[in-house]
Amino acid sequence: MIHTDLSDQELVRRQSLQEIKKLNIEPYPAAEYVVTHYSQDIIKNFDENSENKVDVVIAGRIMSRRIMGNASFAEIKDKQGRIQIYIRRDEICPTEDKTLYNTLFKRLLDIGDYVGIKGYVFKTQTGEISIHANELTLLSKSLRPLPIVKEKDGIIYDAFSDPEQRYRQRYVDLIVNEGVMETFLKRTKIINTMRDFFNQFGYVEVETPILQSIPGGAAARPFITHHNALDIPLYLRIANELYLKRLIVGGFEGVYEFAKDFRNEGMDRTHNPEFTVLEIYVAYKDYKWMMNFTEELVEKVAISLHGTTKVQFGDIIIDFQRPFKRITMLDAIKEYTGFDISGMNEDEISEVCKKLNIETDKSMGKGKLIDAIFGEKCENNFVQPTFITDYPIEMSPLCKKHRTNPELTERFELFVNGKELANAYSELNDPIDQLERFQEQMKLSEKGDEEAMYIDLDFVRALEYGMPPTSGMGIGIDRLAMFMTNRASIQEVLLFPQMKPINN
């Protein structure tokens, strides 16, 4: 086959592949290659005072080579990092046949190829801990050259740094850019720390449907698909809240789920249409209990990752040591705008928006007007972790009315660096009140609000069987990962963020 669209280097590598096969060397062997050691463990555990050689078997990708006649050096990268390999021709080719070294290693192997090395650990004359190779095995031939990032005098050359390229080709990003894999290992540690925290209380991890006939649990625009066999529309879930609360009705006292949710909305540095959320619901609790629980959880995550509650994010230090500051939403609006909107009706709040130069439209009800004021004039002021509490009832159709003020709800959101990180309620468990709230959402939908909630009559029916007092909380895993790994863009903490397709 003639590849007319390949670069010169790609053509050379394909020619090398054919030559390797002619040498009766399998470029993609199927047999298991048993690895006994990894790079950083080898370096960490090396004892130069020991007289015993430590035999190792390591595998990884060739990242550099220095051919020096009958002896050469290479650098191998495995899951832990990089280590130097020292190769002598006569040691890996103990017979008269020197093909493995002279032809395979010196000419046909390339940077990017996977190899296995058997040998022993030693320290070079320059003091670098290395592996003296006794045996070399080709494990996978690379047909496309890696971008080679070089550093000289503190200057980086040929960096693979274009964000769009990095996100589209995350596999290359992980190979050549230091620190990228560490970000995703930390993300995994965040999730595992949270899971361990929940499990110690006996809460149960569950799974709920991604394809739903009614997209409930949040105010958002859903993705719509069609089920051919049933001939019905289905929606990718925007939240898993209503299903988790059905489980509380069914008798579970604490359930949680790390869920993939989907919202057919805009994309920017803090939003991706597919994202990960942790939602947890605990019976016989309220939002005050959940505030304490949430700050303990987030503090634990920070300490688990960093050994301290103080986390660097950009130019600031965020301190996740509890307790966090708490302020009501209406008090926050009053503090940062000078307007006391408590008790105002929709028209009066709309006038406040005009005075504050906040854009509005006719589809916005009272709740969205208040949200607009808070979003534009207040959010950015909450850099250190802060609970915003007691939201107006119009903003929270799934939340229990406040026990002392029926115009408010028992809800909080946790803000960090001006961004919402968590959202929680004392859950509404009055089925009559819940149906009325759904009906109010339908009125907003009729006004043109595309994010208004659908009526889920089965969920109302579940509540009619009785749901105990419950508190629920959702926390954005992607955003939490951003804060905990010092990444300003959500794309930096998603292995494969959504991108507009391009021709390959």
Side-chain angles (χ1 to χ4, degrees):
M1 179 184 294
I2 299 176
H3 298 275
T4 57
D5 59 340
L6 297 179
S7 68
D8 290 344
Q9 288 192 57
E10 289 171 308
L11 288 170
V12 168
R13 288 188 179 221
R14 280 164 171 75
Q15 291 168 1
S16 297
L17 176 67
Q18 297 308 313
E19 290 191 51
I20 289 170
K21 290 179 178 179
K22 289 177 182 178
L23 294 173
N24 292 320
I25 296 173
E26 173 53 60
Y28 305 104
E32 177 188 11
Y33 192 83
V34 179
V35 173
T36 63
H37 293 76
Y38 295 95
S39 59
Q40 298 310 300
D41 290 338
I42 292 171
I43 294 169
K44 179 181 177 181
N45 296 322
F46 177 72
D47 181 3
E48 60 184 330
N49 296 318
S50 175
E51 296 181 359
N52 298 321
K53 292 180 180 179
V54 177
D55 293 322
V56 298
V57 182
I58 189 170
R61 190 187 293 274
I62 298 174
M63 298 303 293
S64 67
R65 289 189 306 161
R66 287 180 287 143
I67 306 296
M68 302 161 60
N70 294 334
S72 301
F73 289 95
E75 191 178 41
I76 302 297
K77 180 178 182 179
D78 64 9
K79 70 176 186 177
Q80 289 187 347
R82 303 187 184 206
I83 193 168
Q84 181 172 264
I85 309 297
Y86 174 65
I87 300 174
R88 288 181 59 86
R89 184 192 66 179
D90 293 339
E91 295 205 23
I92 66 169
C93 303
T95 67
E96 292 298 317
D97 184 1
K98 308 301 181 183
T99 302
L100 183 66
Y101 182 83
N102 291 336
T103 303
L104 179 66
F105 180 75
K106 289 179 67 174
R107 191 167 63 82
L108 300 180
L109 289 189
D110 293 289
I111 291 174
D113 292 351
Y114 271 94
V115 295
I117 299 292
K118 293 183 180 180
Y120 61 89
V121 186
F122 77 111
K123 181 180 281 189
T124 66
Q125 291 180 350
T126 60
E128 184 168 355
I129 298 169
S130 306
I131 299 174
H132 189 122
N134 299 129
E135 184 179 313
L136 179 148
T137 304
L138 174 61
L139 299 176
S140 181
K141 178 64 183 166
S142 168
L143 298 183
R144 189 181 290 264
L146 289 170
I148 304 301
V149 182
K150 306 182 187 72
E151 182 177 352
K152 185 177 181 181
D153 299 327
I155 301 175
I156 302 293
Y157 296 91
D158 301 324
F160 188 72
S161 57
D162 178 72
E164 183 160 331
Q165 264 195 314
R166 290 180 53 234
Y167 305 152
R168 289 185 186 280
Q169 299 180 38
R170 182 66 83 188
Y171 37 89
V172 178
D173 188 32
L174 288 164
I175 296 168
V176 302
N177 286 326
E178 298 297 327
V180 174
M181 184 174 290
E182 183 183 1
T183 294
F184 292 101
L185 292 175
K186 285 182 176 179
R187 179 187 171 109
T188 297
K189 189 171 184 180
I190 289 169
I191 293 172
N192 288 339
T193 299
M194 297 173 75
R195 181 175 279 119
D196 291 344
F197 183 72
F198 301 144
N199 289 346
Q200 76 179 11
F201 290 98
Y203 303 146
V204 180
E205 184 169 8
V206 297
E207 295 176 299
T208 61
I210 293 176
L211 287 174
Q212 301 180 352
S213 58
I214 296 175
R221 184 186 300 176
F223 286 94
I224 305 173
T225 186
H226 185 82
H227 192 289
N228 290 333
L230 296 177
D231 193 25
I232 59 170
L234 288 175
Y235 304 86
L236 292 178
R237 70 178 169 204
I238 57 176
N240 52 346
E241 175 172 343
L242 301 188
Y243 282 93
L244 292 175
K245 288 196 282 194
R246 285 174 169 93
L247 297 179
I248 298 295
V249 170
F252 286 93
E253 289 195 3
V255 292
Y256 69 93
E257 181 178 15
F258 291 94
K260 282 290 186 183
D261 290 347
F262 308 83
R263 297 182 183 178
N264 197 358
E265 299 166 347
M267 295 169 54
D268 55 34
R269 291 171 64 84
T270 59
H271 294 87
N272 194 68
E274 174 184 348
F275 57 99
T276 304
V277 172
L278 172 281
E279 290 202 32
I280 182 167
Y281 293 82
V282 185
Y284 312 114
K285 307 298 184 185
D286 65 4
Y287 80 134
K288 293 181 179 180
W289 176 90
M290 187 60 79
M291 266 188 274
N292 297 331
F293 183 82
T294 301
E295 63 188 6
E296 183 180 355
L297 169 65
V298 176
E299 180 187 66
K300 187 177 183 68
V301 168
I303 294 172
S304 176
L305 255 65
H306 302 287
T308 176
T309 60
K310 293 181 171 64
V311 176
Q312 184 79 41
F313 187 73
D315 297 329
I316 62 174
I317 298 292
I318 297 175
D319 192 348
F320 289 99
Q321 183 176 13
R322 54 185 168 137
F324 301 163
K325 178 183 176 181
R326 305 179 184 195
I327 183 174
T328 70
M329 171 169 272
L330 296 184
D331 283 346
I333 290 174
K334 183 177 180 180
E335 179 177 342
Y336 291 104
T337 70
F339 287 94
D340 184 356
I341 64 171
S342 57
M344 287 188 181
N345 60 33
E346 184 176 319
D347 291 338
E348 290 170 329
I349 296 174
S350 182
E351 284 299 313
V352 170
C353 288
K354 290 179 182 178
K355 293 176 182 177
L356 294 172
N357 296 316
I358 295 173
E359 286 190 19
T360 63
D361 60 62
K362 293 181 179 179
S363 72
M364 296 172 69
K366 185 176 178 180
K368 284 214 164 185
L369 292 171
I370 296 171
D371 192 37
I373 296 172
F374 181 79
E376 290 198 29
K377 302 299 181 181
C378 304
E379 282 185 4
N380 289 337
N381 295 288
F382 302 111
V383 175
Q384 296 302 318
T386 304
F387 288 120
I388 306 299
T389 69
D390 301 348
Y391 282 48
I393 194 168
E394 293 83 2
M395 298 180 65
S396 311
L398 297 169
C399 185
K400 187 184 288 287
K401 288 179 182 177
H402 199 281
R403 64 197 73 178
T404 62
N405 185 342
E407 293 187 354
L408 303 177
T409 57
E410 297 199 345
R411 173 184 178 184
F412 72 78
E413 287 185 311
L414 173 59
F415 279 83
V416 178
N417 197 40
K419 300 294 182 182
E420 175 203 339
L421 180 60
N423 185 22
Y425 311 150
S426 293
E427 300 296 335
L428 177 56
N429 60 344
D430 178 343
I432 296 173
D433 189 2
Q434 182 64 83
L435 180 59
E436 291 173 352
R437 304 267 200 103
F438 278 147
Q439 290 168 340
E440 288 298 318
Q441 288 289 301
M442 288 302 297
K443 292 178 183 178
L444 293 175
S445 178
E446 291 165 2
K447 289 176 61 176
D449 186 345
E450 295 180 340
E451 296 183 348
M453 288 190 189
Y454 290 58
I455 293 182
D456 188 336
L457 293 178
D458 179 72
F459 176 66
V460 175
R461 177 168 53 204
L463 292 184
E464 289 174 345
Y465 281 100
M467 185 176 84
T470 298
S471 184
M473 183 270 290
I475 187 167
I477 298 298
D478 307 320
R479 196 163 286 177
L480 178 61
M482 289 170 62
F483 289 133
M484 292 295 173
T485 62
N486 194 13
R487 295 292 182 264
S489 167
I490 193 173
Q491 288 82 9
E492 294 285 351
V493 297
L494 299 174
L495 279 167
F496 301 104
Q498 189 65 48
M499 306 289 288
K500 186 176 181 179
I502 60 173
N503 295 327
N504 291 324

